Amino acid sequence: MTDEDIWTERVAARYDESSAAMFAPEVLGPAVDFLAARAEGGRALELAVGTGRVALPLAARGVPVAGIERSAPMAARLAAKPGADRVPVTIGDMTTATAPGPGPFRLVYLVFNGITNLLTQDAQVACFENAARHLGPGGAFVCEVFVPQLRRLPPGEVALPFDVSEAHLGFDRYDVAEQRLVSHHYTVEPDGSVSTGRSPHRYVWPAELDLMARIAGMRPAERWADFAGAPFTAESTSHVSVWRTPA
């Protein structure tokens, strides 16, 4: 399964609707506040910018934002939105593509589990290295990513539900040996039909991400449970981490 198989025109057309919870003010507001503070008045680059859920409100806050996006259908959805002229987008792989604009960025960020869409450790390391190449001295790389829930996986079992409701069933099927999972989605449509979808991920631990950052020449600076600044603990199901280039 490739990116072209997942981030199709069909998926792009429904992405904002299917991710409506991520657009809620109580979710999006803290994310924009957090990223604007780490931009420190400089330019920001979003890897896997998608349809602009974060980039557009961040740009509206006065932060100059550019994006890198591999899926042309997703980028086209962004381009059709008000304010898109303030967010130049490069179509390319976030492990290698170079963003437009003069000079280095103060902030590079990758949200909503984007790092796990890279399905090998080498690709994830390359993403960190590309982020570091775009940053100036003391710049920040921010990732929002889930913590693998292997403690919830009973011995001999491979699947865990993450959403069970009248309109949606979602579960992850783990391959522990390969450090992979596939998210499965079954959604009841307004006409009563059921649509299906799945996406592969390489799950990654916080400590492994710290090592990737060190390989790329960055150092850990912050780790929170969420963009609102809740403390990260052993019970946290996600984290927002910040690494910085040398000043």
Side-chain angles (χ1 to χ4, degrees):
M1 191 182 303
T2 67
D3 282 353
E4 287 72 21
D5 298 322
I6 300 167
W7 305 109
T8 61
E9 175 58 42
R10 173 178 171 270
V11 170
R14 299 191 55 201
Y15 182 81
D16 289 1
E17 177 186 354
S18 64
S19 304
M22 299 301 293
F23 287 81
E26 63 271 20
V27 175
L28 187 53
V32 172
D33 290 344
F34 186 100
L35 295 169
R38 274 66 185 180
E40 299 174 330
R43 299 171 65 227
L45 169 64
E46 180 170 356
L47 305 179
V49 68
T51 66
R53 176 182 69 93
V54 176
L56 289 173
L58 186 59
R61 286 275 296 270
V63 178
V65 182
I68 291 175
E69 174 55 53
R70 185 166 180 172
S71 168
M74 294 285 279
R77 294 286 162 174
L78 189 163
K81 293 181 178 180
D85 57 313
R86 291 183 289 186
V87 182
V89 175
T90 296
I91 301 297
D93 192 313
M94 63 182 169
T95 65
T96 57
T98 300
F105 291 84
R106 188 63 182 167
L107 169 70
V108 177
Y109 64 95
L110 178 56
V111 297
F112 202 10
N113 307 317
I115 191 70
T116 69
N117 293 135
L118 300 171
L119 300 182
T120 67
Q121 188 180 70
D122 284 347
Q124 290 174 346
V125 170
C127 180
F128 272 76
E129 291 174 329
N130 198 29
R133 281 193 293 270
H134 282 87
L135 289 169
F141 180 38
V142 176
C143 272
E144 176 194 22
V145 63
F146 66 87
V147 176
Q149 296 297 293
L150 296 189
R151 289 194 301 170
R152 293 181 53 217
L153 196 65
E157 299 296 327
V158 297
L160 283 176
F162 59 83
D163 184 35
V164 179
S165 65
E166 292 185 0
H168 178 253
L169 168 63
F171 67 89
D172 291 327
R173 184 177 176 89
Y174 281 80
D175 182 340
V176 176
E178 295 296 327
Q179 203 165 313
R180 297 273 189 97
L181 64 82
V182 177
S183 293
H184 297 260
H185 300 268
Y186 297 85
T187 304
V188 179
E189 303 295 346
D191 64 1
S193 64
V194 177
S195 63
T196 64
R198 62 186 180 130
S199 60
H201 303 266
R202 182 184 187 269
Y203 62 83
V204 59
W205 302 96
E208 187 180 3
L209 291 169
D210 287 345
L211 183 57
M212 292 180 185
R214 290 182 183 276
I215 291 171
M218 298 183 285
R219 292 293 182 267
E222 304 174 57
R223 176 159 291 133
W224 307 97
D226 55 32
F227 279 117
F232 179 76
T233 72
E235 304 305 317
S236 298
T237 58
S238 65
H239 63 100
V240 174
S241 295
V242 182
W243 302 273
R244 288 192 178 272
T245 57

